[in-house]
Amino acid sequence: MTESAMQGNNHQTIQGLVGEALRESTDLAQKEFTLFRTEISQNIRTLFIGLALVVVAAIFAIAAVMLLTESLVEWLATVVNSEALAALIVGGGLAIIAIGLGLYGRHAMSASTLTPQRTMRSLKRDAEVLSERGAG
């Protein structure tokens, strides 16, 4: 075989290998994308099932709190001999708890707590180091 014929075969072989590699890469990318879509759809389905269960749990929790509150009022009414006074005491206690939780929640959601303090400090230090290097 002549040298030019061998170079031609090597050239075709390289082109064939590159073409095959591209086809296999495309096939692999398509399979990966299909796997990604399947996994995301399963994860979304699981997320919605979890969300539905949390909502149902919240409904049961509200019903339980209402029944427990009613039971507490009825029990306290036998102690203080007045259902109105018992309802006022229990209602006042629950109102204080609600106000406390609301104030704490409002504080937790304030704009200052949302500011990324550590990142801001880190950026400030980085700027100081860069300015020192620039000046030095």
Side-chain angles (χ1 to χ4, degrees):
M1 201 180 261
T2 65
E3 191 175 320
S4 64
M6 286 178 64
Q7 286 178 350
N9 284 343
N10 285 343
H11 187 64
Q12 282 184 331
T13 304
I14 291 172
Q15 284 180 342
L17 289 174
V18 169
E20 185 178 333
L22 287 174
R23 281 190 298 279
E24 288 180 7
S25 296
T26 302
D27 186 44
L28 179 62
Q30 287 174 346
K31 287 179 181 178
E32 291 289 344
F33 184 70
T34 301
L35 176 63
F36 172 76
R37 281 191 348 206
T38 302
E39 189 175 7
I40 289 297
S41 88
Q42 288 173 349
N43 289 349
I44 289 173
R45 188 175 307 119
T46 302
L47 178 71
F48 279 122
I49 289 170
L51 182 62
L53 291 174
V54 167
V55 168
V56 170
I59 291 169
F60 277 102
I62 290 169
V65 167
M66 290 172 58
L67 287 171
L68 289 171
T69 303
E70 183 179 344
S71 298
L72 182 60
V73 168
E74 289 179 12
W75 172 80
L76 194 56
T78 62
V79 172
V80 296
N81 293 327
S82 171
E83 195 165 320
L85 181 59
L88 186 63
I89 293 170
V90 172
L94 290 176
I96 289 170
I97 291 171
I99 290 169
L101 290 173
L103 291 173
Y104 180 75
R106 188 177 81 182
H107 172 71
M109 292 187 316
S110 71
S112 64
T113 59
L114 296 177
T115 305
Q117 298 294 331
R118 290 181 295 194
T119 302
M120 297 297 284
R121 284 192 301 266
S122 178
L123 287 172
K124 190 174 182 180
R125 277 192 307 257
D126 291 346
E128 289 172 359
V129 167
L130 288 174
S131 66
E132 287 174 7
R133 284 185 184 173

